[in-house]
Amino acid sequence: QVVLVESGGGLVRPGGSLTLSCAPSGSIFGIANLGWYRQAPEKQRELVVREISGGRRDYGDGVKGRFTIFRDNVKNTTNLVMNRLEPEDTAVYYCNARWMGFEYWGQGVQVTVSS
């Protein structure tokens, strides 16, 4: 059983920053490609950023240059750093792990951007 536990969500003002963390269980951290998706109310889940082969990153629309993903190899977490947040970034953010055709999801964490 793979479990992904997200943390770090909350309310932030437009233009602010927030960092989300995801702690995968077991040994999945070292072998899976990790990423983040989000789902706004009444919209489909969409890619935010994910690791792909060759150490590259695949970004969703509208976040490149504002959001980035990095691994903390001491804490075994993947982290989503979000800068210059906009109200349109309001959504539930989900951690994702992909390995050998299997896909795992966290429970999601709410991010609200509002003044």
Side-chain angles (χ1 to χ4, degrees), residues 81-103:
V81 179
M82 303 183 289
N83 296 315
R84 304 198 307 276
L85 282 159
E86 303 167 354
E88 293 73 23
D89 296 315
T90 295
V92 177
Y93 284 70
Y94 295 91
C95 182
N96 172 269
R98 290 172 290 113
W99 175 70
M100 296 292 289
F102 294 95
E103 194 163 34

Side-chain angles (χ1 to χ4, degrees), residues 68-86:
T68 189
I69 185 174
F70 75 94
R71 288 179 176 237
D72 184 329
N73 292 319
V74 174
K75 297 180 179 179
N76 279 7
T77 59
T78 182
N79 302 279
L80 177 65
V81 179
M82 303 183 289
N83 296 315
R84 304 198 307 276
L85 282 159
E86 303 167 354

Side-chain angles (χ1 to χ4, degrees), residues 1 6 8 11-12 16 28 37 41 46 48 57 59 65 76 80:
Q1 178 91 10
E6 299 113 331
L11 174 65
V12 62
I28 196 74
Y37 289 72
E46 63 179 7
V48 177
R57 305 290 187 262
Y59 289 88
N76 279 7
L80 177 65

Side-chain angles (χ1 to χ4, degrees), residues 4-90:
L4 307 175
V5 180
E6 299 113 331
S7 61
L11 174 65
V12 62
R13 293 184 183 276
S17 298
L18 199 63
T19 297
L20 306 181
S21 292
C22 172
S25 64
S27 60
I28 196 74
F29 178 81
I31 57 176
N33 283 327
L34 303 174
W36 292 88
Y37 289 72
R38 67 186 181 186
Q39 187 166 15
E42 301 181 359
K43 291 188 177 181
Q44 290 188 332
R45 192 172 297 189
E46 63 179 7
L47 171 68
V48 177
V49 59
R50 64 177 181 173
E51 299 172 342
I52 55 177
S53 62
R56 296 172 297 160
R57 305 290 187 262
D58 185 17
Y59 289 88
D61 293 338
V63 302
K64 194 170 186 178
R66 298 191 299 125
F67 293 9
T68 189
I69 185 174
F70 75 94
R71 288 179 176 237
D72 184 329
N73 292 319
V74 174
K75 297 180 179 179
N76 279 7
T77 59
T78 182
N79 302 279
L80 177 65
V81 179
M82 303 183 289
N83 296 315
R84 304 198 307 276
L85 282 159
E86 303 167 354
E88 293 73 23
D89 296 315
T90 295

